[in-house]
Amino acid sequence: MDTSAHDVLLVGGGGAGLRAAIAISEFNPKLSVAVVSKVYPMRSHTVSAEGGAAGVIKPNDTLDEHCYDTISGGDWMCDQDAVELFVREAPKELLRLEHWGCPWSREPDGHVAVRPFGGMKNERTWFAADKTGFHMLHTLFQTSLKYPSVRRYDEWFVTKLLIDDGQVRGVVAIELMTGRIQAILAKSVIICTGGCGKVFPFTTNANIKNGDGMSLALRAGAPLKDMEFVQYHPTGLPFTGILITEAARAEGGWLLNKDGYRYLQDYNLGKPEPTPVLRSMELGPRDRLSQAFVKEYEKGRTIETPYGHVVHLDVRHLGEKKINAKIPFVRELCLKYQGIDPVREMIPVRPVVHYMMGGVSTDINAATPIKGLFAAGEAACVSINGANRLGSNSLTELLVFGARAGLHAAQFASEQKEGNTAAILAQAIDEKRRVEDQFLNKTAGRESISTIREEMQKAMEEGAGIYRTHDSLAKAAETIGKLQERFKDIAISDHSHTFNTELTAAFELSYMLDVAEAIIACALNRKESRGSHQRTDFTKRDDEKFLAHSLVYRNADGSTRVEYLPVTITRWPPAERVYGK
Amino acid sequence: MAKTITLEVARYRPEQEGEPAFENFDVPLNKDWVVLDALNYIKDKLDGSLSYRWSCRMGVCGSCGMMVNGEPKLTCATFLTAYDPGPIRVEPLRYFPIVRDLVVEITDFMSKLKAVKPWIVRDEEKPISEGEYLQTPRQLDNFKQFSMCINCLCCYAACPVVGLDQHFIGPAAIALAQRYNEDSRDQGKEERMDVLSQHDGIWGCTFNGECTRVCPKNVDPAGAIQQYKIKAVTDWYKSLLMPWGKK
Ligand SMILES: Cc1cc2nc3c(=O)[nH]c(=O)nc-3n(C[C@H](O)[C@H](O)[C@H](O)COP(=O)(O)OP(=O)(O)OC[C@H]3O[C@@H](n4cnc5c(N)ncnc54)[C@H](O)[C@@H]3O)c2cc1C
Ligand code: FES
């Protein structure tokens, strides 16, 4: 079997993966770094982030306020030691990116400009117009090209983590261009595979966001943390799910119901003012805004469209000049994809699955419980996002914890000797056989990939959406269980070795089914309402029982088990979340 | 039944076929669908073996560039209704080797991208503790549009020089070089000029502006090439008249 070997291997070349790669190269240019990515790195989904990245830089702002906003935004589920570290490192990381050439938007005097963002008390969101993720990703990718120790495996698809004696030793991956299945060995591995929005039918997430790394880690024996916390963004375009960034509201946009009424005032989010007020109304946190939408719908005050009910996002009063300067991409997306011009028309929007607060459980150094295995970015859960992430914290998280994962994985790799290569290769050969027998060369099979995918997505939306109950979740659990069974009978018509995307679609579906199971297991067990996890049968937050992270494991028989880990509280004891005051 | 439109899709499976051929598929003519949605419909419902690249479906990841009725397009930003009543011919991007179906080989482009040193070059790094490099909005505007390239490669598929000379470094790579050259924080212009001058083809560019015309992100690679040539010629004059004046 073909093999190659490196010191550190990154699964994923998005923001987190590339930041880690650079950190490793700067730590020690002699360490060989492999970046394995199923798409060319600059296609990774970080590219589509719009609004910005949070970091305290202005004199009127403080680190403690950023901590408090993050912790209260996360409904006290964040580990506060991790938040403090994150907030402290954030400005340095954003500056580093500035030095690498990121075209941050500027003040007239040449300093970096910041904008307000939802749930943030001060203006601290750095932005590059409204293509922040695009510019960050391209800056990181282009900068990474200057490090000769970085070896890229572009368009290689990882199917398995190789674990021997409780320690990670590399991965098995398929080179899409040739179909070659190879073992890529490494002394440490970082999972940077991003989120899993495609588990749901209506999402801002790209086609490639299937929770691959979460499932790989789960199968390898690592727990996932806080998977019940799924963020709905309040403003997606109907049909496409394309995101209209929070920046549109931060710049002054209003949310209106079918009567043209700023309905958020009815939901304990403050009073309507003509200009944006921080931590109030349209700048409240995403979970509360998405929940308010559902209530409006129930009151019959939303607008029916062929693609579901919507409300209106109105930015007309900002004027063409401001729209072009601050949110040009919003205008471009509306014009190109919705056929409307926000300068003159209101934008129809509805809540859309956007971000996964949960992920592979790590400690503050990005380490998972499996020796040598690290995780960073949306695929990981440290946790700084708690029960509800604040917009613009994620892009910064990629940098802070990407760099940290890189550093710790590099240090770990430096201390390791070769593992038991024979045992690892035997495992890799088994995996190759599995890929061939159960997927590539499989001729029997009756189930269609797209049918199972659609049924899974429907079950998740109905059972584990913005509001959940025991019954809705139990029903979803039953459906997903059946789909797991049916997946074994999947039909694959494409047996080609050359760029076989039916093969990868099948793998992605299997990853998503695992992730769906994990989300439901955590959500069923958490009998309280907190942040983005709202149970209509347990409507209150219950700190006595549930001020704890869910850890979901996979048992040997394939079933899941949920355990709890107390939340780390340092300086901010649990309190009520107050907005609009 | 609802109205349909025919897609003539280029198929090529190197393990099965000696050369590309077209296969027709009828898909619903949904007014909200882009060409990419139609391809997804084919893959999900009609033929799971069709291969093409896509990811964001919002015109920013650069994966889904293909020829649509002979024009390089982002298929996620190209509506079916614009081609009613059809047929719509979908082919892989022109001038690139075909890997399979609608997937082209872009490793050559990736090495061209790297060749122009697309990173900030400085004689001396300022420590992070000293804060940001100041850059006024006007200085930002100098290079901003060149930084908007999503590497979709539509410009290569439109460029007659790329068609004639595969060594031509190409519009997107030159625009990227110019993106860094014009960045007030950068000091690597001379190094990059050396790289560009070593590459063939740039003088073959006849400024027909096809690259700029097809760019879905309004980048102006033709303008970048123009700027480069002017700079190269003045540098050449300078080196003749005042060899000491170059750096
Ligand atoms: C539309 C949109 C707008 C957003 N806007 C903002 C914002 O304004 N501010 C903010 O802070 N956050 C924002 N976010 C969230 C943020 O962008 C993401 O959380 C973040 O970019 C994720 O980065 P990542 O590096 O973890 O993963 P990604 O960028 O998704 O990268 C994942 C990588 O893993 C690779 N990969 C996955 N599976 C495999 C496999 N099996 N084998 C090999 N490689 C694999 C992929 O190829 C890719 O390179 C937004 C998100 C979306 C969807
Ligand atoms: S799918 Fe990303 S640009 Fe079209």
Side-chain angles (χ1 to χ4, degrees), chain A residues 43 98-99 101-102 106 110 112 142 155 207 307 332 336-337 450 453 494 496-499 501, chain B residues 15 32 43-44 51 53-55 61 76 79 100 118 126 131-133 135 150-151 179-180 185 217:
Chain A
R43 317 280 190 223
E98 194 279 327
H99 286 212
C102 189
R106 304 283 177 156
V112 166
Q142 289 157 11
E155 300 193 322
N207 183 43
Y307 300 108
E332 180 188 331
K336 277 205 184 133
Y337 289 95
S450 66
R453 187 169 55 217
D494 190 348
S496 162
H497 288 261
T498 315
F499 223 94
T501 51
Chain B
E15 288 144 286
D32 294 312
K43 187 162 185 75
D44 285 350
S51 270
R53 292 188 178 103
W54 73 290
S55 180
C61 77
C76 75
F79 282 84
R100 149 109 191 239
K126 163 162 133 174
E132 72 261 59
Y133 295 106
Q135 182 168 68
I150 61 172
N151 301 159
R179 174 251 172 274
Y180 282 94
R185 296 165 289 188
K217 297 286 121 178

Side-chain angles (χ1 to χ4, degrees), chain A residues 34 42 102 185 187 203 211 266 272 285 328-329 347 376 394 398 411 413-414 423 450 461 474 506 551 574:
Chain A
M42 72 279 186
C102 189
L185 307 183
K187 294 172 186 154
T203 175
D266 296 354
F329 194 38
I347 311 169
S394 170
L398 307 180
Q411 279 166 349
S414 311
S450 66
E461 181 169 62
L551 289 181

Side-chain angles (χ1 to χ4, degrees), chain A residues 245-263:
Chain A
T245 170
E246 199 160 281
R249 281 171 282 132
E251 297 299 342
W254 298 327
L255 281 172
L256 306 174
N257 69 13
K258 80 174 198 315
D259 307 319
Y261 173 70
R262 287 174 75 187
Y263 60 92

Side-chain angles (χ1 to χ4, degrees), chain A residues 11-17 36-41 44-54 117 132 137 156-159 192-195 204-206 208-209 212-213 216 243 245 286 354-355 376-379 389-396 398 511, chain B residues 58:
Chain A
V11 188
V36 185
S37 175
K38 65 180 178 180
V39 295
Y40 277 93
S44 304
H45 201 50
T46 297
V47 81
S48 55
E50 301 170 19
F117 233 66
T132 311
L137 185 69
W156 285 64
F157 187 96
V158 174
T159 67
C192 312
T193 49
T204 60
N205 284 195
I208 59 171
K209 301 203 69 169
D212 303 26
L216 290 168
L243 177 80
T245 170
R286 291 176 180 173
H354 183 55
Y355 181 84
E378 192 171 336
R389 170 185 73 108
L390 289 194
S392 78
N393 267 352
S394 170
L395 287 177
T396 313
L398 307 180
Y511 295 146
Chain B
M58 56 187 280

Side-chain angles (χ1 to χ4, degrees), chain A residues 39-45 47-48 50 57-58 91-93 95-112 126 128-129 131 134-135 138-139 141-143 145-148 152 154-155 176-177 198 204-208 239-240 242-243 307 329 332-333 336-338 448 450-451 453-454 493-502 505, chain B residues 13-16 30-34 37 40 43-45 47-64 74 76-79 99-101 103-107 109-110 113-114 117-120 122 125-137 139-140 143-144 147-153 176 179-180 183 185 216-218:
Chain A
V39 295
Y40 277 93
M42 72 279 186
R43 317 280 190 223
S44 304
H45 201 50
V47 81
S48 55
E50 301 170 19
I57 184 130
K58 296 294 168 189
K92 291 181 225 165
E93 279 297 326
L95 278 171
R96 207 156 273 138
L97 220 66
E98 194 279 327
H99 286 212
W100 290 335
C102 189
W104 297 116
S105 293
R106 304 283 177 156
E107 308 278 5
D109 67 359
H111 284 98
V112 166
W126 301 40
K131 287 201 176 170
F134 164 79
H135 286 298
H138 280 252
T139 302
F141 177 61
Q142 289 157 11
T143 303
L145 295 173
K146 75 178 181 196
Y147 298 96
R152 290 204 328 271
D154 293 339
E155 300 193 322
L176 294 185
M177 189 97 87
K198 283 285 166 185
T204 60
N205 284 195
N207 183 43
I208 59 171
F239 178 57
T240 58
I242 288 175
L243 177 80
Y307 300 108
F329 194 38
E332 180 188 331
L333 289 169
K336 277 205 184 133
Y337 289 95
Q338 195 71 30
S448 123
S450 66
T451 306
R453 187 169 55 217
E454 281 160 22
S493 63
D494 190 348
H495 305 292
S496 162
H497 288 261
T498 315
F499 223 94
N500 187 334
T501 51
E502 195 177 26
Chain B
R13 283 148 297 191
E15 288 144 286
Q16 289 170 33
N30 183 325
K31 78 169 177 34
D32 294 312
W33 278 16
V34 292
D37 293 323
N40 286 338
K43 187 162 185 75
D44 285 350
K45 309 285 177 207
D47 184 346
S49 74
L50 181 66
S51 270
Y52 49 95
R53 292 188 178 103
W54 73 290
S55 180
C56 71
R57 206 211 172 275
M58 56 187 280
V60 69
C61 77
S63 305
C64 69
L74 285 185
C76 75
T78 304
F79 282 84
V99 175
R100 149 109 191 239
D101 295 341
V103 178
V104 295
E105 151 89 271
I106 67 165
T107 41
F109 167 74
M110 294 304 285
L113 198 73
K114 183 173 172 177
K117 303 193 181 191
W119 51 79
I120 295 277
R122 290 191 63 88
E125 258 288 335
K126 163 162 133 174
I128 295 297
S129 55
E130 287 174 24
E132 72 261 59
Y133 295 106
L134 295 184
Q135 182 168 68
T136 64
Q139 287 173 317
L140 175 63
F143 71 91
K144 180 106 204 200
S147 75
M148 302 302 267
C149 170
I150 61 172
N151 301 159
C152 67
L153 304 179
L176 186 62
R179 174 251 172 274
Y180 282 94
D183 189 323
R185 296 165 289 188
K217 297 286 121 178
N218 302 321

